[in-house]
Amino acid sequence: EVMQKQAEHFGARIVFDEVTEVDFASGSPFRIKTYSKEYLADGVVVTAGASPRHLGVPGEEEYIGRGVSYCGTCDGFFFRGKDVVVVGGGDSAMEESIFLTKFANKVEVIHRRDELRAGAVLQKRAFANEKISFVWDTVVEEIVGNGVVQGVKVRNVKTGETSFRKTDGVFIFIGHYPNSKFLEGKLAMDEEGYIITDELYRTSVPGVYAAGEIQDAHFRQIATSVGQGAGAGMELEKWLAARE
Ligand SMILES: Cc1cc2nc3c(=O)[nH]c(=O)nc-3n(C[C@H](O)[C@H](O)[C@H](O)COP(=O)(O)OP(=O)(O)OC[C@H]3O[C@@H](n4cnc5c(N)ncnc54)[C@H](O)[C@@H]3O)c2cc1C
């Protein structure tokens, strides 16, 4: 709200709508279509972000913010002295598991395979951490609670055996996807759909810039995204001025 007020104070107009289609092919001014209107824009900064992948199991949506989290850096603090499970086996899952041991009493990593996908150094650090333990070949089938998370129902994918594990928090790190579907074929993207930008946040189309998580799968923080947005805005301003 404070950020919105500050932006409006400097002349920004904020519209709550969803972009459904863009036409970047004919150059500036670009056509931006939303559900309710079509806009013409001399320049564009795309900041549609990225979303964490959800498990899609019962209880997950219900307990988001009440024990279910997709960000250890953001929510780890609330689990001081508590037991948590981490779902996933990649770099993010290991980085966040190690981070969570600063607060949590115990971190149990539940992974659907019998080995991690994370890099060797991260694996070594995770295995060496006394607070972290591993539950292999196992998937979470349900998140259970009573107002707040109390545990997870899990199934061993090799034996089919099901069991209940008590926990205070469920941290899910099974990947992110950029919200770039509406830009497919319009801007250059990598194989995961992240928009490719250079160091000045320029995309493959002159006059179209991108900032934040839609082009940054690495940092994924408010401070870095805001900084990138400021950088992209400054570059777009220069680009517009050079055309006058
Ligand atoms: C649960 C959670 C908690 C977090 N807590 C923290 C924290 O404490 N500290 C921290 O540093 N980081 C935190 N993060 C990460 C932080 O939120 C992101 O790094 C940051 O918000 C990314 O900024 P962004 O502008 O790239 O994307 P976002 O903030 O995700 O903004 C993208 C916006 O674009 C909109 N959008 C998407 N598609 C369209 C479309 N087609 N048309 C119009 N609008 C569209 C979305 O609705 C959204 O409003 C958290 C993330 C999550 C998921």
Side-chain angles (χ1 to χ4, degrees), residues 17-19 47-49 52 71 74 179 182 211-213 220-222 225:
D17 205 344
E18 186 167 335
V19 176
T47 59
C71 181
C74 322
N179 301 321
F182 69 106
E213 291 195 359
R220 298 206 299 246
Q221 295 293 299
I222 293 170
S225 301

Side-chain angles (χ1 to χ4, degrees), residues 11-23:
R13 196 160 57 86
I14 292 168
V15 178
F16 293 93
D17 205 344
E18 186 167 335
V19 176
T20 51
E21 220 182 302
V22 296
D23 177 9

Side-chain angles (χ1 to χ4, degrees), residues 2-186:
V2 174
M3 280 178 163
Q4 180 177 335
K5 276 200 184 124
Q6 193 191 6
E8 283 169 340
H9 178 72
F10 287 100
R13 196 160 57 86
I14 292 168
V15 178
F16 293 93
D17 205 344
E18 186 167 335
V19 176
T20 51
E21 220 182 302
V22 296
D23 177 9
F24 293 157
S26 348
S28 174
F30 305 105
R31 281 182 192 284
I32 314 286
K33 235 186 184 170
T34 69
Y35 278 119
S36 58
K37 217 175 151 181
E38 187 168 304
Y39 296 85
L40 274 182
D42 289 327
V44 176
V45 180
V46 184
T47 59
S51 305
R53 280 187 210 288
H54 290 201
L55 285 171
V57 298
E60 182 177 17
E61 304 299 321
E62 188 183 343
Y63 288 109
I64 291 175
R66 291 188 287 155
V68 171
S69 171
Y70 303 88
C71 181
T73 338
C74 322
D75 298 331
F77 177 79
F78 301 110
F79 293 85
R80 191 181 286 281
K82 300 200 169 171
D83 296 343
V84 301
V85 300
V86 162
V87 185
D91 284 340
S92 292
M94 286 314 102
E95 264 177 19
E96 300 272 16
S97 296
I98 294 163
F99 180 82
L100 283 167
T101 60
K102 290 186 187 185
F103 304 102
N105 187 38
K106 193 174 93 181
V107 176
E108 203 168 48
V109 177
I110 299 177
H111 187 40
R112 61 189 168 148
R113 302 189 208 286
D114 59 4
E115 58 181 5
L116 299 173
R117 245 184 325 110
V121 177
L122 271 174
Q123 288 201 28
K124 206 171 157 197
R125 284 178 57 208
F127 289 138
N129 192 313
E130 283 177 359
K131 282 190 173 180
I132 302 178
S133 59
F134 293 84
V135 184
W136 302 108
D137 297 316
T138 299
V139 291
V140 171
E141 294 207 309
E142 189 177 343
I143 296 167
V144 183
N146 182 11
V148 291
V149 166
Q150 291 178 319
V152 285
K153 282 186 187 165
V154 297
R155 178 173 54 86
N156 184 299
V157 292
K158 286 194 173 150
T159 63
E161 192 187 326
T162 56
S163 57
F164 177 79
R165 306 190 85 86
K166 210 169 157 294
T167 189
D168 301 304
V170 183
F171 284 82
I172 300 164
F173 305 113
I174 54 170
H176 271 72
Y177 62 91
N179 301 321
S180 59
K181 196 117 190 89
F182 69 106
L183 297 165
E184 270 173 14
K186 318 280 179 175

